[in-house]
Amino acid sequence: MRYLTQRAIAFVPTLIGVSILIFFAIRLVPGDAIVAMLGTEAGMLTQTQRESLEVYFGLDKPPVEQYFSWMGGVVTGNLGLSVRHGQPVLNLILARFPVTLQLAVMALSIALLIGLPIGILSAIRHNSAVDLFGRLLALLGLATPNFLLGSLIIVVLSVVFKILPNSGDFTPLHEDPGKNLSQLIFPAFTLGFSFSASVMRTTRSAMLEVMGQDYIRTARGKGLAGGVVVRRHALRNALIPVITIIGVELGYLLGGAVIIEEIFALPGIGRLVYNAISQRDYALVQGVALFVAFNFVVINLITDLLYAAADPRISYGQHA
């Protein structure tokens, strides 16, 4: 509990640092928020109308004053108002996040289902045909860009076999689970395939290192079956680097897979922030960035706790 409290307190300076970087970085993007919002119609505004809009969205104040005004709202759960959507930023994030979360969970599941077994088998059958297959598959996963694999899936399944659901009519999970899963399975596979390559390589490397330890030879010398040695003694210790790579990748996925969401026309966080940047929607970019940073620090904390669960020798009680 003491460790959790200390880490929760450490969240604050991390999030403040991220908020400062994002707040001032987005203002370095060339262009004007009012022009980006109205397009060519911005030229029809009178000076009074333009000033009124700037006052309404708080753009008339100096940047430092805007920052403190924004952070004052963040503390109370108010992330500001989107100039493009005309809605509270928090509402927009909460409306899009379920799609990104579901996509990330499905991609993670696919990555673990592919990467863990092949990584373990590659280590156990080191330098065999199975190991060679696993390494080639990992190399293919790492070398194939997501946009290329996604485009190939769309071309083959949509143009050739005509079985890919139409894009642009996304259906939430609670409305039609079957249709929802058919729309997300291919984007999730696209993300999960490259993700599985990282899991596969990390698992294989960690297992090979652990399998060479003295306590593994001792366990084998006691006459334990090979499967028992792997399951009880080797795999558990080899999971630490695997948990690390899962935590990092999941953090990125929860920030929105911009390219995949754009290719498959999924209304997730990635597309939301991509459009917000192009439209100079300051409040929305700041809100999404802060939300993603919060996800990262929470996942980092959960990863630390999973270390102790995977390896009982790791304890935070005395060193926290």
Side-chain angles (χ1 to χ4, degrees):
M1 182 56 71
R2 182 183 174 189
Y3 174 76
L4 285 175
T5 304
Q6 290 180 337
R7 291 300 301 269
I9 294 173
F11 282 3
V12 178
T14 302
L15 293 177
I16 290 177
V18 170
S19 69
I20 292 174
L21 286 175
I22 295 299
F23 185 89
F24 290 101
I26 185 63
R27 278 158 177 77
L28 295 178
V29 177
D32 181 271
I34 301 300
V35 173
M37 175 177 63
L38 298 178
T40 55
E41 295 180 4
M44 302 171 65
L45 291 175
T46 64
Q47 186 61 29
T48 303
Q49 290 172 324
R50 185 183 183 82
E51 290 174 356
S52 297
L53 282 173
E54 290 178 347
V55 170
Y56 181 76
F57 290 110
L59 300 173
D60 60 319
K61 303 172 184 173
V64 174
E65 188 177 344
Q66 287 183 42
Y67 172 76
F68 283 106
S69 176
W70 173 61
M71 284 303 290
V74 169
V75 174
T76 61
N78 178 14
L79 299 181
L81 188 68
S82 166
V83 297
R84 184 65 183 177
H85 298 270
Q87 299 178 36
V89 168
L90 186 59
N91 291 354
L92 291 169
I93 293 174
L94 294 179
R96 299 293 189 95
F97 186 60
V99 178
T100 298
L101 178 61
Q102 186 186 354
L103 181 62
V105 171
M106 290 177 66
L108 173 63
S109 302
I110 291 171
L112 294 182
L113 286 173
I114 296 174
L116 272 181
I118 297 179
I120 294 170
L121 283 174
S122 291
I124 295 174
R125 309 281 186 185
H126 184 46
N127 286 334
S128 67
V130 174
D131 186 25
L132 179 61
F133 170 77
R135 282 186 289 171
L136 287 175
L137 195 62
L139 186 62
L140 183 64
L142 291 173
T144 307
N146 283 336
F147 71 88
L148 178 60
L149 181 59
S151 301
L152 287 175
I153 287 176
I154 289 175
V155 170
V156 173
L157 298 183
S158 178
V159 178
V160 179
F161 294 102
K162 301 186 186 303
I163 60 175
L164 190 69
N166 294 329
S167 60
D169 62 343
F170 180 77
T171 304
L173 181 64
H174 64 274
E175 290 183 8
D176 188 341
K179 187 175 181 181
N180 172 271
L181 292 176
S182 69
Q183 292 173 325
L184 279 179
I185 187 63
F186 297 114
F189 178 79
T190 305
L191 287 172
F193 183 64
S194 60
F195 190 176
S196 69
S198 301
V199 173
M200 200 184 310
R201 287 170 59 94
T202 306
T203 303
R204 177 182 178 276
S205 175
M207 283 291 292
L208 282 174
E209 183 178 349
V210 171
M211 295 291 281
Q213 298 293 320
D214 290 339
Y215 67 91
I216 296 295
R217 285 192 283 270
T218 302
R220 284 174 171 162
K222 290 180 179 177
L224 292 178
V228 176
V229 173
V230 170
R231 191 172 60 254
R232 289 185 183 176
H233 299 281
L235 182 58
R236 196 163 186 175
N237 292 327
L239 281 179
I240 301 299
V242 180
I243 291 172
T244 302
I245 194 76
I246 290 173
V248 173
E249 292 281 353
L250 187 60
Y252 281 117
L253 289 177
L254 289 181
V258 177
I259 295 176
I260 297 302
E261 290 180 3
E262 191 69 28
I263 290 176
F264 289 92
L266 297 176
I269 290 287
R271 288 186 76 194
L272 182 68
V273 72
Y274 173 76
N275 292 328
I277 292 172
S278 63
Q279 294 161 355
R280 284 86 169 173
D281 195 336
Y282 298 151
L284 188 51
V285 175
Q286 293 161 191
V288 172
L290 199 62
F291 182 74
V292 172
F294 178 78
N295 286 338
F296 253 108
V297 292
V298 170
I299 289 173
N300 193 34
L301 175 60
I302 294 173
T303 301
D304 286 348
L305 297 178
L306 287 177
Y307 289 159
D311 188 347
R313 295 173 298 178
I314 299 176
S315 172
Y316 299 111
Q318 296 178 350
H319 305 288

